[in-house]
Amino acid sequence: QVQLVESGGGLVQVGGSLRLSCAASGRTFSQLVMGWFRQDPGKEREFVAAISRTGESSYYADSVKGRFTVSRDNAKNTVYLQMSSLKPEDTAVYYCAAVAGSYIYTQTRAWEYHYWGQGTQVTVSS
């Protein structure tokens, strides 16, 4: 089992920045591909970004490319999502997720991820 706990969400103005963190426990963190998703009420969960086991490679949704950066610190069992130039449409609950037993870091569908955090709210106000 893997436990994931997100933090760092909050209220930010348009154009601002925010950094989300996700702390993992219960399994060797470096064996997990990590991803970030987001979800607005009434909408499907949307892929945001993913990062390989080593952190050398990452993959982004087109909607966040160039504005968001995913990174990880395997020594701290933590993955981050640095969000910049935030827009109102970035408002959502953001979820951290993990894939076990795979090296593929381009997985964008929620069902491909085995473990999920509880989510953290990000609200971008204009």
Side-chain angles (χ1 to χ4, degrees):
Q1 280 291 337
V2 175
Q3 292 77 45
L4 303 173
V5 179
E6 301 97 335
S7 61
L11 177 64
V12 63
Q13 290 189 333
V14 169
S17 299
L18 209 57
R19 188 176 83 156
L20 305 182
S21 300
C22 172
S25 61
R27 187 164 178 157
T28 303
F29 184 66
S30 61
Q31 295 179 350
L32 300 171
V33 168
M34 299 300 298
W36 287 95
F37 286 75
R38 64 188 182 187
Q39 189 170 21
D40 246 352
K43 295 184 179 180
E44 289 189 3
R45 198 162 291 191
E46 174 190 21
F47 170 78
V48 174
I51 189 166
S52 63
R53 292 184 174 189
T54 63
E56 292 179 350
S57 301
S58 55
Y59 188 69
Y60 297 92
D62 288 343
S63 58
V64 306
K65 203 172 293 183
R67 300 188 298 121
F68 290 11
T69 302
V70 60
S71 62
R72 65 191 295 164
D73 185 337
N74 285 351
K76 295 183 177 180
N77 293 349
T78 302
V79 62
Y80 306 96
L81 185 67
Q82 178 68 48
M83 305 184 293
S84 302
S85 302
L86 283 162
K87 305 175 182 180
E89 51 264 44
D90 294 319
T91 295
V93 176
Y94 282 72
Y95 296 91
C96 171
V99 180
S102 174
Y103 287 92
I104 301 172
Y105 62 91
T106 56
Q107 298 173 97
T108 63
R109 292 167 289 190
W111 60 263
E112 295 177 300
Y113 288 75
H114 302 119
Y115 305 102
W116 292 86
Q118 83 288 350
T120 185
Q121 177 71 47
V122 172
T123 302
V124 183
S125 69
S126 55

